[in-house]
Amino acid sequence: MRVPALLVAFLIALGSPVFADDVAAAQSVIRAQEQAFGRNDSAVAYSHAAPSIQQIFPRPDIFMQMVQQAYPPVYRHKSFEFGEARAAGGQIAQRVHIVDDNGEAWEALYTLEQQPDGSLKITGCSLLKSGQAV
């Protein structure tokens, strides 16, 4: 899968590094979803998805099936390590270095957005095999 040019532009446009609290909050949300995938807990994994994602995938089981099929390195992996993060205007972009079950390296770009209640929700995840051109 290729990282859409829009998300790359988003990461570049964000320009400013995030504050430690923002990073910790974003990583906590991503980690909670990643752990829910590991337990096959579709309801919890789904709860971390932004409303815009939940509109596209209206039930937790549909969301989980999409992740299993379209994002296998996110769904199952050997390692999942956080990289650089950027933020602006209530949005955060967080890179994650993933090694899948076959030992292949991937770069994920998660985007999160602050919700009206102050919580952060995941608005997207793009995958790029490490070493692959954008």
Side-chain angles (χ1 to χ4, degrees):
M1 287 172 248
R2 297 178 82 82
V3 176
L6 180 63
L7 285 177
V8 172
F10 174 76
L11 183 63
I12 292 167
L14 285 176
S16 63
V18 286
F19 296 106
D21 289 349
D22 295 333
V23 171
Q27 290 179 356
S28 178
V29 171
I30 294 166
R31 183 68 71 190
Q33 187 180 66
E34 179 246 347
Q35 290 173 346
F37 290 145
R39 295 187 310 271
N40 289 317
D41 189 338
S42 60
V44 170
Y46 187 70
S47 74
H48 297 293
S52 58
I53 301 298
Q54 291 183 359
Q55 285 180 329
I56 298 167
F57 306 100
R59 294 193 330 251
D61 60 316
I62 295 170
F63 174 74
M64 187 69 96
Q65 184 177 27
M66 176 277 299
V67 172
Q68 290 170 347
Q69 292 175 358
Y71 298 89
V74 171
Y75 182 68
R76 292 289 185 263
H77 47 267
K78 290 181 180 178
S79 71
F80 192 93
E81 302 295 329
F82 293 108
E84 179 184 20
R86 302 252 177 210
Q91 298 181 334
I92 298 174
Q94 172 69 60
R95 288 186 183 272
V96 179
H97 310 289
I98 300 172
V99 176
D100 69 16
D101 279 343
N102 297 321
E104 295 190 58
W106 296 82
E107 293 291 324
L109 176 62
Y110 278 83
T111 55
L112 299 91
E113 186 172 67
Q114 189 171 27
Q115 303 302 299
D117 68 1
S119 67
L120 285 173
K121 298 288 183 178
I122 298 168
T123 57
C125 177
S126 296
L127 280 174
L128 180 67
K129 197 174 233 182
S130 290
Q132 188 175 12
V134 175

